[in-house]
Amino acid sequence: MNNKKQDKILENLKKYQKKDFSFSKGQILGSMCTQPLPIAKKAYNMFLETNLGDPKLFPGSKEIEEKYLFFLKKLLNAPEKSQGIIGSGGTESNISAIWLAKRLAPSKKELIIPESAHFSFEKIASIMDVKLVSVKLNKNYQIDIKSAKKKINSKTLGVIGIAGTTELGVVDPIPELSDICQKENVFLHVDAAFGGYIIPFMKKLGYNIPSFDFKNLGVCSITIDAHKMGCSAIPLGSLMLRNKEWLEKISVDTPYISSPRQPGILATRSAAPVAAAYAVAEYLGVKGYTNLVEKCMNNTFYTVKRIDEIGLKLVAEPTINVIAIKLKNPAKVVNLLTKQGYKINKMDRFSAARIVVMPHVTKQVIDKFIPIFEKTCKDAGEI
Amino acid sequence: MNNKKQDKILENLKKYQKKDFSFSKGQILGSMCTQPLPIAKKAYNMFLETNLGDPKLFPGSKEIEEKYLFFLKKLLNAPEKSQGIIGSGGTESNISAIWLAKRLAPSKKELIIPESAHFSFEKIASIMDVKLVSVKLNKNYQIDIKSAKKKINSKTLGVIGIAGTTELGVVDPIPELSDICQKENVFLHVDAAFGGYIIPFMKKLGYNIPSFDFKNLGVCSITIDAHKMGCSAIPLGSLMLRNKEWLEKISVDTPYISSPRQPGILATRSAAPVAAAYAVAEYLGVKGYTNLVEKCMNNTFYTVKRIDEIGLKLVAEPTINVIAIKLKNPAKVVNLLTKQGYKINKMDRFSAARIVVMPHVTKQVIDKFIPIFEKTCKDAGEI
């Protein structure tokens, strides 16, 4: 090992790193990701040389995976015979869910999604030749149940409900969707990539928020990401299935690795992010996550109050820790903030900008940001 | 941070870690993965908090990605107007390639693959409703060119060639496939997930091995993985496209992140493995990789000699650093070796077991393994 050469390359990487905006410095206020907990990083490092795609080479890592999936099963009130697949994140999980729905009903081609669905469903439509049937939103920006029901027909492959939409953090009325889908015998997939790690804890805190999990008997599968509110490291998303026998529908023969069949999309995948997510789950537990979510929600309400005080309006009252601020020219405001070292996300569809009050968006971060935001909005002619 | 609790969890993880087989201890001789170089681990750690799925938040990481793609372009003799997408590995890259082929020829459904194709193509067939048309192999276990040509018709979506098959390490005659596909105007994708990081360096060492890269004008796309012979960390695979305009065909609108459109399958993805692959490329360079490959090939020939000496036969003479050993009962031998702390991969199709002479499979590792392997084969009645 040539240490001098190595140091030079790492020094060079640091120069690039300095150009990045940073979660820990409180610069990124618009992302659904956050800095991993320190224990996540430590656990990640321990398992950097593993491959769960060849599981019998890494039986210890495989045990960690099973333990983490057990945590998710409990979190999502999944039945005994449920099973999960761990992958890279929400997009992969959503693809796998629709892949499964297609294998269960090969002749059906129409996927019913709310207008608020994540762009991963556009990818799915393009990859799988699935036709997206978009359902309008009700006044609360949730999927309109009556419209959704009307769209179901003999060609319906499945229905998507969202627990924590990407733009507004809205939770669809999953219990109603579940009833309809059960009655119509249609596959219901819930995209809780973001909400999955916050809604269960908000319920424990007494928030009145619709149930989205497997308690709803029509829910067939759920996407949930540990690298968002789970405070673990990218890449870590899971697809939970009500019935473990369904795994077989999305499995292929693997005649030259250590398992005879492999479910899911990706083949080679490291146990490092799995160990990280498991370590965080063990470290925080339900109590720790509940405390974390309580802080995020308190900071959300505090941010809303501060935004109100500077005279800006929201698209909707936040359901979870996602705040959408109406702006005449979001791109202009976002660009001006970028120059000052801050990143919030613009949202074209609502003429708005998004702040996600993740764990790294503390009261201190907000207190520092709001005056800069106020001045920027004044300069941009928003207020 | 509760340090006592953290330490307890990490101690517990170590117990699982001990159950894993290890590259660095020379226990895994059958995998196409290896231990990442130390610089890969260091670079990985630096960028654990980044997300290239939201690129304007991480402009420094994005620059690293571009620099790494430039390295790949040069390595693969890609034309000026080529472009790459970085993802999680070979399966994702192969899916993206066929997704692109489908968008370029939406009415076509038949994918011509050699019998030696990786199981990711079974996944592709299942996900995308593509029909796999399997082509028999010639006596050298390469795709049979005449048979492949005969299978091309008006329904042909694309043809797959492989540079380094998973089972035998065989390189298909890509120049001939390229000529045919150019003439027939059919999309040719080369799966060089494994071979991409070894064949270019073998050519520099004077090995007579078919060219598989963009020098062959019919080659439209190439899969290449840094987490295999690239000596970087999982997850890191790339899909290189001859024409950057094709990216648009596999892109969707992304109205709430920092880029307007996003190509490829995954959305959220860390820059950590990209920084790792780039750091290794900078550290080793073409010269370093060539030296590494020279060592692997010398160790391959040494292993072949030792296997011959104990009286076992190979399925075929190795083209690259993949050795397939004929066995009457591969499962039995593999299981007996597992009990002794060694992992090689069984291959049902050839009644064989595979050794991949990766950089961690040094002469010392081979010298320690061969006597154990010999005794095991005797115990199993193989010799």
Side-chain angles (χ1 to χ4, degrees), chain B residues 162-194:
Chain B
I162 306 172
T165 61
T166 316
E167 284 156 315
L168 304 177
V170 161
V171 181
D172 283 330
I174 306 298
E176 286 84 342
L177 276 184
S178 169
D179 287 347
I180 293 169
C181 289
Q182 238 194 326
K183 210 172 287 171
E184 302 277 354
N185 197 23
V186 164
F187 193 94
L188 172 59
H189 171 66
V190 176
D191 181 354
F194 187 72

PDB file of all heavy atoms in Angstrom, chain B residues 162-194:
ATOM      1  N   ILE B 162     -21.765 -12.142 -23.815  1.00  0.00           N
ATOM      2  CA  ILE B 162     -21.207 -12.115 -22.455  1.00  0.00           C
ATOM      3  C   ILE B 162     -19.684 -12.096 -22.495  1.00  0.00           C
ATOM      4  O   ILE B 162     -19.071 -12.881 -23.214  1.00  0.00           O
ATOM      5  CB  ILE B 162     -21.705 -13.319 -21.632  1.00  0.00           C
ATOM      6  CG1 ILE B 162     -23.246 -13.346 -21.675  1.00  0.00           C
ATOM      7  CG2 ILE B 162     -21.230 -13.220 -20.190  1.00  0.00           C
ATOM      8  CD1 ILE B 162     -23.840 -14.560 -21.073  1.00  0.00           C
ATOM      9  N   ALA B 163     -19.135 -11.184 -21.729  1.00  0.00           N
ATOM     10  CA  ALA B 163     -17.678 -11.105 -21.623  1.00  0.00           C
ATOM     11  C   ALA B 163     -17.304 -11.548 -20.217  1.00  0.00           C
ATOM     12  O   ALA B 163     -17.209 -10.740 -19.291  1.00  0.00           O
ATOM     13  CB  ALA B 163     -17.195  -9.695 -21.917  1.00  0.00           C
ATOM     14  N   GLY B 164     -17.129 -12.846 -20.079  1.00  0.00           N
ATOM     15  CA  GLY B 164     -16.823 -13.425 -18.765  1.00  0.00           C
ATOM     16  C   GLY B 164     -18.067 -14.048 -18.164  1.00  0.00           C
ATOM     17  O   GLY B 164     -18.685 -13.459 -17.276  1.00  0.00           O
ATOM     18  N   THR B 165     -18.443 -15.252 -18.647  1.00  0.00           N
ATOM     19  CA  THR B 165     -19.672 -15.877 -18.137  1.00  0.00           C
ATOM     20  C   THR B 165     -19.509 -16.230 -16.664  1.00  0.00           C
ATOM     21  O   THR B 165     -18.386 -16.466 -16.184  1.00  0.00           O
ATOM     22  CB  THR B 165     -20.029 -17.150 -18.936  1.00  0.00           C
ATOM     23  OG1 THR B 165     -18.966 -18.101 -18.799  1.00  0.00           O
ATOM     24  CG2 THR B 165     -20.246 -16.838 -20.410  1.00  0.00           C
ATOM     25  N   THR B 166     -20.643 -16.272 -15.965  1.00  0.00           N
ATOM     26  CA  THR B 166     -20.609 -16.489 -14.521  1.00  0.00           C
ATOM     27  C   THR B 166     -20.077 -17.873 -14.170  1.00  0.00           C
ATOM     28  O   THR B 166     -19.376 -18.040 -13.180  1.00  0.00           O
ATOM     29  CB  THR B 166     -22.024 -16.310 -13.943  1.00  0.00           C
ATOM     30  OG1 THR B 166     -22.603 -15.151 -14.530  1.00  0.00           O
ATOM     31  CG2 THR B 166     -21.987 -16.129 -12.448  1.00  0.00           C
ATOM     32  N   GLU B 167     -20.392 -18.853 -15.007  1.00  0.00           N
ATOM     33  CA  GLU B 167     -19.995 -20.213 -14.645  1.00  0.00           C
ATOM     34  C   GLU B 167     -18.563 -20.560 -15.076  1.00  0.00           C
ATOM     35  O   GLU B 167     -17.822 -21.170 -14.322  1.00  0.00           O
ATOM     36  CB  GLU B 167     -20.983 -21.220 -15.253  1.00  0.00           C
ATOM     37  CG  GLU B 167     -22.299 -21.244 -14.468  1.00  0.00           C
ATOM     38  CD  GLU B 167     -23.464 -21.735 -15.296  1.00  0.00           C
ATOM     39  OE1 GLU B 167     -23.583 -21.281 -16.456  1.00  0.00           O
ATOM     40  OE2 GLU B 167     -24.249 -22.550 -14.786  1.00  0.00           O
ATOM     41  N   LEU B 168     -18.214 -20.177 -16.305  1.00  0.00           N
ATOM     42  CA  LEU B 168     -16.925 -20.633 -16.844  1.00  0.00           C
ATOM     43  C   LEU B 168     -15.967 -19.499 -17.184  1.00  0.00           C
ATOM     44  O   LEU B 168     -14.830 -19.746 -17.587  1.00  0.00           O
ATOM     45  CB  LEU B 168     -17.158 -21.504 -18.091  1.00  0.00           C
ATOM     46  CG  LEU B 168     -18.082 -22.722 -17.915  1.00  0.00           C
ATOM     47  CD1 LEU B 168     -18.268 -23.435 -19.251  1.00  0.00           C
ATOM     48  CD2 LEU B 168     -17.524 -23.688 -16.877  1.00  0.00           C
ATOM     49  N   GLY B 169     -16.420 -18.258 -17.062  1.00  0.00           N
ATOM     50  CA  GLY B 169     -15.540 -17.145 -17.408  1.00  0.00           C
ATOM     51  C   GLY B 169     -15.271 -17.027 -18.900  1.00  0.00           C
ATOM     52  O   GLY B 169     -14.286 -16.414 -19.319  1.00  0.00           O
ATOM     53  N   VAL B 170     -16.145 -17.592 -19.706  1.00  0.00           N
ATOM     54  CA  VAL B 170     -15.957 -17.596 -21.160  1.00  0.00           C
ATOM     55  C   VAL B 170     -16.309 -16.223 -21.743  1.00  0.00           C
ATOM     56  O   VAL B 170     -17.206 -15.542 -21.244  1.00  0.00           O
ATOM     57  CB  VAL B 170     -16.847 -18.704 -21.784  1.00  0.00           C
ATOM     58  CG1 VAL B 170     -17.072 -18.481 -23.274  1.00  0.00           C
ATOM     59  CG2 VAL B 170     -16.239 -20.082 -21.508  1.00  0.00           C
ATOM     60  N   VAL B 171     -15.599 -15.838 -22.786  1.00  0.00           N
ATOM     61  CA  VAL B 171     -15.891 -14.577 -23.475  1.00  0.00           C
ATOM     62  C   VAL B 171     -16.498 -14.914 -24.843  1.00  0.00           C
ATOM     63  O   VAL B 171     -15.875 -15.609 -25.652  1.00  0.00           O
ATOM     64  CB  VAL B 171     -14.610 -13.725 -23.645  1.00  0.00           C
ATOM     65  CG1 VAL B 171     -14.933 -12.401 -24.336  1.00  0.00           C
ATOM     66  CG2 VAL B 171     -13.961 -13.476 -22.281  1.00  0.00           C
ATOM     67  N   ASP B 172     -17.718 -14.435 -25.068  1.00  0.00           N
ATOM     68  CA  ASP B 172     -18.383 -14.693 -26.343  1.00  0.00           C
ATOM     69  C   ASP B 172     -17.664 -13.971 -27.485  1.00  0.00           C
ATOM     70  O   ASP B 172     -16.998 -12.953 -27.254  1.00  0.00           O
ATOM     71  CB  ASP B 172     -19.852 -14.233 -26.275  1.00  0.00           C
ATOM     72  CG  ASP B 172     -20.732 -15.213 -25.509  1.00  0.00           C
ATOM     73  OD1 ASP B 172     -20.433 -16.425 -25.524  1.00  0.00           O
ATOM     74  OD2 ASP B 172     -21.718 -14.767 -24.896  1.00  0.00           O
ATOM     75  N   PRO B 173     -17.833 -14.455 -28.719  1.00  0.00           N
ATOM     76  CA  PRO B 173     -17.195 -13.780 -29.863  1.00  0.00           C
ATOM     77  C   PRO B 173     -17.956 -12.496 -30.209  1.00  0.00           C
ATOM     78  O   PRO B 173     -18.745 -12.456 -31.145  1.00  0.00           O
ATOM     79  CB  PRO B 173     -17.285 -14.821 -30.991  1.00  0.00           C
ATOM     80  CG  PRO B 173     -18.353 -15.773 -30.591  1.00  0.00           C
ATOM     81  CD  PRO B 173     -18.551 -15.673 -29.116  1.00  0.00           C
ATOM     82  N   ILE B 174     -17.689 -11.467 -29.424  1.00  0.00           N
ATOM     83  CA  ILE B 174     -18.419 -10.203 -29.569  1.00  0.00           C
ATOM     84  C   ILE B 174     -18.193  -9.566 -30.948  1.00  0.00           C
ATOM     85  O   ILE B 174     -19.154  -9.044 -31.537  1.00  0.00           O
ATOM     86  CB  ILE B 174     -18.057  -9.223 -28.425  1.00  0.00           C
ATOM     87  CG1 ILE B 174     -18.274  -9.864 -27.038  1.00  0.00           C
ATOM     88  CG2 ILE B 174     -18.855  -7.919 -28.546  1.00  0.00           C
ATOM     89  CD1 ILE B 174     -19.682 -10.274 -26.696  1.00  0.00           C
ATOM     90  N   PRO B 175     -16.968  -9.600 -31.512  1.00  0.00           N
ATOM     91  CA  PRO B 175     -16.811  -8.978 -32.841  1.00  0.00           C
ATOM     92  C   PRO B 175     -17.771  -9.576 -33.878  1.00  0.00           C
ATOM     93  O   PRO B 175     -18.390  -8.837 -34.642  1.00  0.00           O
ATOM     94  CB  PRO B 175     -15.339  -9.278 -33.184  1.00  0.00           C
ATOM     95  CG  PRO B 175     -14.664  -9.374 -31.847  1.00  0.00           C
ATOM     96  CD  PRO B 175     -15.669 -10.032 -30.952  1.00  0.00           C
ATOM     97  N   GLU B 176     -17.942 -10.888 -33.877  1.00  0.00           N
ATOM     98  CA  GLU B 176     -18.866 -11.528 -34.821  1.00  0.00           C
ATOM     99  C   GLU B 176     -20.312 -11.138 -34.499  1.00  0.00           C
ATOM    100  O   GLU B 176     -21.092 -10.824 -35.403  1.00  0.00           O
ATOM    101  CB  GLU B 176     -18.712 -13.061 -34.781  1.00  0.00           C
ATOM    102  CG  GLU B 176     -17.442 -13.587 -35.444  1.00  0.00           C
ATOM    103  CD  GLU B 176     -16.222 -13.560 -34.531  1.00  0.00           C
ATOM    104  OE1 GLU B 176     -16.233 -12.845 -33.500  1.00  0.00           O
ATOM    105  OE2 GLU B 176     -15.230 -14.254 -34.855  1.00  0.00           O
ATOM    106  N   LEU B 177     -20.680 -11.169 -33.232  1.00  0.00           N
ATOM    107  CA  LEU B 177     -22.036 -10.756 -32.835  1.00  0.00           C
ATOM    108  C   LEU B 177     -22.290  -9.311 -33.262  1.00  0.00           C
ATOM    109  O   LEU B 177     -23.373  -8.959 -33.729  1.00  0.00           O
ATOM    110  CB  LEU B 177     -22.211 -10.844 -31.315  1.00  0.00           C
ATOM    111  CG  LEU B 177     -22.583 -12.185 -30.691  1.00  0.00           C
ATOM    112  CD1 LEU B 177     -22.793 -11.994 -29.186  1.00  0.00           C
ATOM    113  CD2 LEU B 177     -23.825 -12.792 -31.319  1.00  0.00           C
ATOM    114  N   SER B 178     -21.278  -8.488 -33.065  1.00  0.00           N
ATOM    115  CA  SER B 178     -21.388  -7.066 -33.404  1.00  0.00           C
ATOM    116  C   SER B 178     -21.681  -6.880 -34.887  1.00  0.00           C
ATOM    117  O   SER B 178     -22.573  -6.124 -35.273  1.00  0.00           O
ATOM    118  CB  SER B 178     -20.083  -6.368 -33.010  1.00  0.00           C
ATOM    119  OG  SER B 178     -20.041  -5.071 -33.533  1.00  0.00           O
ATOM    120  N   ASP B 179     -20.934  -7.602 -35.727  1.00  0.00           N
ATOM    121  CA  ASP B 179     -21.157  -7.503 -37.177  1.00  0.00           C
ATOM    122  C   ASP B 179     -22.584  -7.890 -37.534  1.00  0.00           C
ATOM    123  O   ASP B 179     -23.257  -7.197 -38.307  1.00  0.00           O
ATOM    124  CB  ASP B 179     -20.177  -8.424 -37.935  1.00  0.00           C
ATOM    125  CG  ASP B 179     -18.751  -7.865 -37.917  1.00  0.00           C
ATOM    126  OD1 ASP B 179     -18.591  -6.678 -37.541  1.00  0.00           O
ATOM    127  OD2 ASP B 179     -17.825  -8.609 -38.253  1.00  0.00           O
ATOM    128  N   ILE B 180     -23.022  -9.010 -36.966  1.00  0.00           N
ATOM    129  CA  ILE B 180     -24.377  -9.490 -37.274  1.00  0.00           C
ATOM    130  C   ILE B 180     -25.415  -8.461 -36.827  1.00  0.00           C
ATOM    131  O   ILE B 180     -26.327  -8.104 -37.580  1.00  0.00           O
ATOM    132  CB  ILE B 180     -24.642 -10.846 -36.574  1.00  0.00           C
ATOM    133  CG1 ILE B 180     -23.747 -11.925 -37.170  1.00  0.00           C
ATOM    134  CG2 ILE B 180     -26.111 -11.247 -36.684  1.00  0.00           C
ATOM    135  CD1 ILE B 180     -23.747 -13.229 -36.378  1.00  0.00           C
ATOM    136  N   CYS B 181     -25.287  -7.970 -35.608  1.00  0.00           N
ATOM    137  CA  CYS B 181     -26.297  -7.056 -35.054  1.00  0.00           C
ATOM    138  C   CYS B 181     -26.296  -5.727 -35.802  1.00  0.00           C
ATOM    139  O   CYS B 181     -27.360  -5.122 -35.990  1.00  0.00           O
ATOM    140  CB  CYS B 181     -26.064  -6.847 -33.562  1.00  0.00           C
ATOM    141  SG  CYS B 181     -26.467  -8.324 -32.618  1.00  0.00           S
ATOM    142  N   GLN B 182     -25.113  -5.296 -36.226  1.00  0.00           N
ATOM    143  CA  GLN B 182     -25.051  -4.064 -37.020  1.00  0.00           C
ATOM    144  C   GLN B 182     -25.789  -4.249 -38.341  1.00  0.00           C
ATOM    145  O   GLN B 182     -26.583  -3.404 -38.753  1.00  0.00           O
ATOM    146  CB  GLN B 182     -23.591  -3.722 -37.296  1.00  0.00           C
ATOM    147  CG  GLN B 182     -23.201  -2.342 -36.791  1.00  0.00           C
ATOM    148  CD  GLN B 182     -21.870  -1.889 -37.358  1.00  0.00           C
ATOM    149  OE1 GLN B 182     -20.969  -2.689 -37.582  1.00  0.00           O
ATOM    150  NE2 GLN B 182     -21.755  -0.592 -37.582  1.00  0.00           N
ATOM    151  N   LYS B 183     -25.528  -5.388 -38.977  1.00  0.00           N
ATOM    152  CA  LYS B 183     -26.152  -5.684 -40.267  1.00  0.00           C
ATOM    153  C   LYS B 183     -27.670  -5.807 -40.114  1.00  0.00           C
ATOM    154  O   LYS B 183     -28.438  -5.301 -40.929  1.00  0.00           O
ATOM    155  CB  LYS B 183     -25.560  -6.992 -40.819  1.00  0.00           C
ATOM    156  CG  LYS B 183     -25.530  -7.055 -42.346  1.00  0.00           C
ATOM    157  CD  LYS B 183     -24.749  -8.284 -42.831  1.00  0.00           C
ATOM    158  CE  LYS B 183     -23.243  -8.130 -42.639  1.00  0.00           C
ATOM    159  NZ  LYS B 183     -22.476  -9.361 -42.907  1.00  0.00           N
ATOM    160  N   GLU B 184     -28.089  -6.467 -39.052  1.00  0.00           N
ATOM    161  CA  GLU B 184     -29.522  -6.715 -38.858  1.00  0.00           C
ATOM    162  C   GLU B 184     -30.216  -5.559 -38.127  1.00  0.00           C
ATOM    163  O   GLU B 184     -31.420  -5.605 -37.900  1.00  0.00           O
ATOM    164  CB  GLU B 184     -29.718  -8.008 -38.049  1.00  0.00           C
ATOM    165  CG  GLU B 184     -29.102  -9.244 -38.671  1.00  0.00           C
ATOM    166  CD  GLU B 184     -30.001  -9.883 -39.726  1.00  0.00           C
ATOM    167  OE1 GLU B 184     -31.144  -9.427 -39.899  1.00  0.00           O
ATOM    168  OE2 GLU B 184     -29.540 -10.832 -40.381  1.00  0.00           O
ATOM    169  N   ASN B 185     -29.440  -4.567 -37.733  1.00  0.00           N
ATOM    170  CA  ASN B 185     -29.972  -3.420 -36.999  1.00  0.00           C
ATOM    171  C   ASN B 185     -30.691  -3.836 -35.709  1.00  0.00           C
ATOM    172  O   ASN B 185     -31.825  -3.436 -35.436  1.00  0.00           O
ATOM    173  CB  ASN B 185     -30.897  -2.595 -37.905  1.00  0.00           C
ATOM    174  CG  ASN B 185     -31.131  -1.200 -37.346  1.00  0.00           C
ATOM    175  OD1 ASN B 185     -30.326  -0.689 -36.563  1.00  0.00           O
ATOM    176  ND2 ASN B 185     -32.257  -0.599 -37.719  1.00  0.00           N
ATOM    177  N   VAL B 186     -30.001  -4.659 -34.950  1.00  0.00           N
ATOM    178  CA  VAL B 186     -30.551  -5.171 -33.687  1.00  0.00           C
ATOM    179  C   VAL B 186     -29.668  -4.689 -32.532  1.00  0.00           C
ATOM    180  O   VAL B 186     -28.444  -4.611 -32.672  1.00  0.00           O
ATOM    181  CB  VAL B 186     -30.626  -6.717 -33.729  1.00  0.00           C
ATOM    182  CG1 VAL B 186     -30.816  -7.310 -32.348  1.00  0.00           C
ATOM    183  CG2 VAL B 186     -31.750  -7.168 -34.652  1.00  0.00           C
ATOM    184  N   PHE B 187     -30.280  -4.381 -31.423  1.00  0.00           N
ATOM    185  CA  PHE B 187     -29.573  -3.897 -30.225  1.00  0.00           C
ATOM    186  C   PHE B 187     -28.684  -5.008 -29.666  1.00  0.00           C
ATOM    187  O   PHE B 187     -29.156  -6.111 -29.395  1.00  0.00           O
ATOM    188  CB  PHE B 187     -30.603  -3.469 -29.183  1.00  0.00           C
ATOM    189  CG  PHE B 187     -30.042  -2.664 -28.041  1.00  0.00           C
ATOM    190  CD1 PHE B 187     -30.058  -1.273 -28.080  1.00  0.00           C
ATOM    191  CD2 PHE B 187     -29.513  -3.276 -26.909  1.00  0.00           C
ATOM    192  CE1 PHE B 187     -29.561  -0.512 -27.031  1.00  0.00           C
ATOM    193  CE2 PHE B 187     -29.002  -2.526 -25.854  1.00  0.00           C
ATOM    194  CZ  PHE B 187     -29.026  -1.140 -25.919  1.00  0.00           C
ATOM    195  N   LEU B 188     -27.407  -4.717 -29.467  1.00  0.00           N
ATOM    196  CA  LEU B 188     -26.484  -5.696 -28.870  1.00  0.00           C
ATOM    197  C   LEU B 188     -25.994  -5.172 -27.518  1.00  0.00           C
ATOM    198  O   LEU B 188     -25.350  -4.120 -27.442  1.00  0.00           O
ATOM    199  CB  LEU B 188     -25.285  -5.952 -29.803  1.00  0.00           C
ATOM    200  CG  LEU B 188     -24.150  -6.818 -29.220  1.00  0.00           C
ATOM    201  CD1 LEU B 188     -24.626  -8.206 -28.801  1.00  0.00           C
ATOM    202  CD2 LEU B 188     -22.997  -6.937 -30.228  1.00  0.00           C
ATOM    203  N   HIS B 189     -26.336  -5.922 -26.480  1.00  0.00           N
ATOM    204  CA  HIS B 189     -25.872  -5.584 -25.125  1.00  0.00           C
ATOM    205  C   HIS B 189     -24.818  -6.597 -24.692  1.00  0.00           C
ATOM    206  O   HIS B 189     -25.025  -7.804 -24.829  1.00  0.00           O
ATOM    207  CB  HIS B 189     -27.060  -5.604 -24.152  1.00  0.00           C
ATOM    208  CG  HIS B 189     -26.643  -5.470 -22.712  1.00  0.00           C
ATOM    209  ND1 HIS B 189     -26.054  -4.322 -22.214  1.00  0.00           N
ATOM    210  CD2 HIS B 189     -26.709  -6.339 -21.674  1.00  0.00           C
ATOM    211  CE1 HIS B 189     -25.786  -4.493 -20.929  1.00  0.00           C
ATOM    212  NE2 HIS B 189     -26.167  -5.708 -20.571  1.00  0.00           N
ATOM    213  N   VAL B 190     -23.716  -6.103 -24.153  1.00  0.00           N
ATOM    214  CA  VAL B 190     -22.660  -6.992 -23.665  1.00  0.00           C
ATOM    215  C   VAL B 190     -22.654  -6.971 -22.137  1.00  0.00           C
ATOM    216  O   VAL B 190     -22.513  -5.915 -21.519  1.00  0.00           O
ATOM    217  CB  VAL B 190     -21.276  -6.571 -24.213  1.00  0.00           C
ATOM    218  CG1 VAL B 190     -20.181  -7.445 -23.612  1.00  0.00           C
ATOM    219  CG2 VAL B 190     -21.257  -6.676 -25.731  1.00  0.00           C
ATOM    220  N   ASP B 191     -22.837  -8.143 -21.558  1.00  0.00           N
ATOM    221  CA  ASP B 191     -22.768  -8.268 -20.107  1.00  0.00           C
ATOM    222  C   ASP B 191     -21.318  -8.571 -19.728  1.00  0.00           C
ATOM    223  O   ASP B 191     -20.877  -9.722 -19.781  1.00  0.00           O
ATOM    224  CB  ASP B 191     -23.718  -9.381 -19.642  1.00  0.00           C
ATOM    225  CG  ASP B 191     -23.709  -9.539 -18.129  1.00  0.00           C
ATOM    226  OD1 ASP B 191     -22.894  -8.867 -17.458  1.00  0.00           O
ATOM    227  OD2 ASP B 191     -24.518 -10.326 -17.600  1.00  0.00           O
ATOM    228  N   ALA B 192     -20.606  -7.507 -19.363  1.00  0.00           N
ATOM    229  CA  ALA B 192     -19.216  -7.651 -18.932  1.00  0.00           C
ATOM    230  C   ALA B 192     -19.118  -7.319 -17.447  1.00  0.00           C
ATOM    231  O   ALA B 192     -18.128  -6.756 -16.985  1.00  0.00           O
ATOM    232  CB  ALA B 192     -18.311  -6.747 -19.759  1.00  0.00           C
ATOM    233  N   ALA B 193     -20.164  -7.688 -16.703  1.00  0.00           N
ATOM    234  CA  ALA B 193     -20.197  -7.408 -15.263  1.00  0.00           C
ATOM    235  C   ALA B 193     -18.910  -7.904 -14.613  1.00  0.00           C
ATOM    236  O   ALA B 193     -18.269  -7.189 -13.851  1.00  0.00           O
ATOM    237  CB  ALA B 193     -21.415  -8.078 -14.622  1.00  0.00           C
ATOM    238  N   PHE B 194     -18.521  -9.128 -14.958  1.00  0.00           N
ATOM    239  CA  PHE B 194     -17.289  -9.654 -14.388  1.00  0.00           C
ATOM    240  C   PHE B 194     -16.073  -9.324 -15.255  1.00  0.00           C
ATOM    241  O   PHE B 194     -15.058  -8.842 -14.766  1.00  0.00           O
ATOM    242  CB  PHE B 194     -17.382 -11.168 -14.166  1.00  0.00           C
ATOM    243  CG  PHE B 194     -16.198 -11.705 -13.420  1.00  0.00           C
ATOM    244  CD1 PHE B 194     -16.041 -11.429 -12.067  1.00  0.00           C
ATOM    245  CD2 PHE B 194     -15.215 -12.436 -14.054  1.00  0.00           C
ATOM    246  CE1 PHE B 194     -14.934 -11.880 -11.363  1.00  0.00           C
ATOM    247  CE2 PHE B 194     -14.100 -12.895 -13.358  1.00  0.00           C
ATOM    248  CZ  PHE B 194     -13.957 -12.618 -12.010  1.00  0.00           C
TER     249      PHE B 194
END
